[in-house]
Amino acid sequence: MEEKAQVKTENSMANSTFSDQIPASFAFSSSIFDMPCEVEKGSLGFMDLLGIQDYSPSLFDVLQPPLAPHPLTSPASSAPPESSEVVNAPATPNSSSISSSSTEAANDDQTKAAEEEEQDQEKNKKQLKPKKKNQKRQREPRFAFITKSEVDHLDDGYRWRKYGQKAVKNSPFPRSYYRCTTAACGVKKRVERSSDDPTTVVTTYEGQHSHPCPVMPRGSLGIPPEAVTFSAAAASSFAMPQPQYQQQQQPYFNNSSLSLNFNHMNSSSINPAFLHERRLRPSPASLLRDHGLLEDLLPSQMFKEPKEE
DNA sequence: CGGATTTGACCTGCGC
DNA sequence: GCGCAGGTCAAATCCG
């Protein structure tokens, strides 16, 4: 069983179009899971990532840390010890990474959105009615990232309702399924704790919000408005082609006391690939530290290379 | 009492 | 075709 899963992982990676471009040294440097190499290279903005085609959804289903050696990594370094180092580090960008995925339909999000609506309606109707067999369920673009957190469900500003929980194979931790509570918003997210590194939480967003973020945590918990965290909400906002309101809102992340400031970053250069949720410490000191360690959240290349293609 | 969560059952897709 | 695993539903339950 386990071997099977590993084989599958390897195959997924091997078949992915971008895996070929991933430098071996980078393959698992994130310590979490593979991300499109473009992120690390800084050659593409995040939206560009969404345009990446041929991303096999299955690839992003496999968000587990490298249980199996990456085909591109040297056999000897099947389990880079640096990952644990990274995780234990006070603040490092590598302890968090992000990935985006898109189905083949991600190319035309416009038409897709319409299709999704129809599908949603169909979905509501169907329920106990079996779906037509030849009608393959079309998956929405997904966007996954990993945070280091003690809490599984991160408050990203949107309101979610849990609608399911499943045990995950080869993982002691269950996977939780959430749906945005806003009517007509079909965004879902899955949250699961990494079996490889229980301190990390894998959150996968699916779809895009069709509404503004309902919660304004400004001032909550005494967090200065400028000290906002680039969050899941932000991630999902950036992940998907969003309406204008997304640009008007500051991405924030209200998770207990954690706060990180991304405001001074050029949004066009923001890449949520390095979201990092650190241990929550309500102390202002940690806030300051987080703030000050913003650089740590992003690889130096991110700052040095805002270059566009 | 209303909304959120839990949880077992059911459906679907996929690999063998 | 069968079995497995992921994903979803919805009744029951919990909680503020």
Side-chain angles (χ1 to χ4, degrees), chain A residues 31-32 65 83 87 95 148 173 193-201:
Chain A
S31 85
I32 308 298
S83 23
V87 165
S95 58
K148 191 168 175 61
F173 306 105
R193 199 162 279 279
S194 167
S195 60
D196 198 60
D197 182 0
T199 65
T200 60
V201 176

Side-chain angles (χ1 to χ4, degrees), chain A residues 11-227:
Chain A
N11 287 342
S12 307
M13 289 176 170
N15 292 336
S16 68
T17 54
F18 66 80
S19 64
D20 294 341
Q21 308 167 38
I22 301 176
S25 60
F26 166 70
F28 292 125
S29 65
S30 70
S31 85
I32 308 298
F33 57 87
D34 277 354
M35 69 180 81
C37 57
E38 288 85 356
V39 173
E40 183 72 3
K41 288 176 179 173
S43 59
L44 286 178
F46 190 75
M47 298 305 284
D48 293 320
L49 283 178
L50 293 175
I52 295 173
Q53 301 169 26
D54 299 331
Y55 273 23
S56 164
S58 63
L59 171 67
F60 295 97
D61 285 338
V62 186
L63 296 177
Q64 308 283 345
L67 297 175
H70 191 285
L72 295 180
T73 54
S74 72
S77 59
S78 58
E82 63 202 64
S83 23
S84 59
E85 256 182 84
V86 159
V87 165
N88 292 333
T92 46
N94 291 345
S95 58
S96 165
S97 61
I98 200 163
S99 178
S100 71
S101 70
S102 58
T103 62
E104 58 278 357
N107 292 336
D108 49 349
D109 291 310
Q110 309 269 337
T111 52
K112 197 170 145 340
E115 288 174 5
E116 286 167 6
E117 258 184 60
E118 290 177 21
Q119 285 183 0
D120 257 330
Q121 291 173 354
E122 263 185 350
K123 214 172 181 180
N124 289 337
K125 288 182 194 171
K126 70 132 200 187
Q127 287 324 345
L128 300 179
K129 287 183 185 175
K131 243 185 199 171
K132 285 179 185 176
K133 225 178 182 182
N134 56 354
Q135 189 176 4
K136 248 188 180 178
R137 194 193 331 195
Q138 210 169 10
R139 282 196 166 167
E140 310 204 14
R142 278 188 285 165
F143 175 86
F145 66 93
I146 287 185
T147 55
K148 191 168 175 61
S149 172
E150 292 174 353
V151 292
D152 288 348
H153 188 202
L154 307 174
D155 182 358
D156 56 13
Y158 289 95
R159 300 194 62 201
W160 302 92
R161 167 174 296 191
K162 188 176 186 176
Y163 66 90
Q165 178 172 308
K166 284 285 285 187
V168 181
K169 205 182 174 213
N170 294 328
S171 172
F173 306 105
R175 174 182 297 152
S176 298
Y177 299 89
Y178 297 88
R179 210 194 311 268
C180 183
T181 59
T182 302
C185 178
V187 177
K188 299 170 197 169
K189 75 172 178 181
R190 293 178 304 205
V191 177
E192 65 181 291
R193 199 162 279 279
S194 167
S195 60
D196 198 60
D197 182 0
T199 65
T200 60
V201 176
V202 179
T203 305
T204 306
Y205 286 83
E206 188 170 327
Q208 57 181 298
H209 293 283
S210 57
H211 57 95
C213 194
V215 185
M216 294 304 290
R218 201 167 278 247
S220 68
L221 297 169
I223 298 173
E226 64 271 17

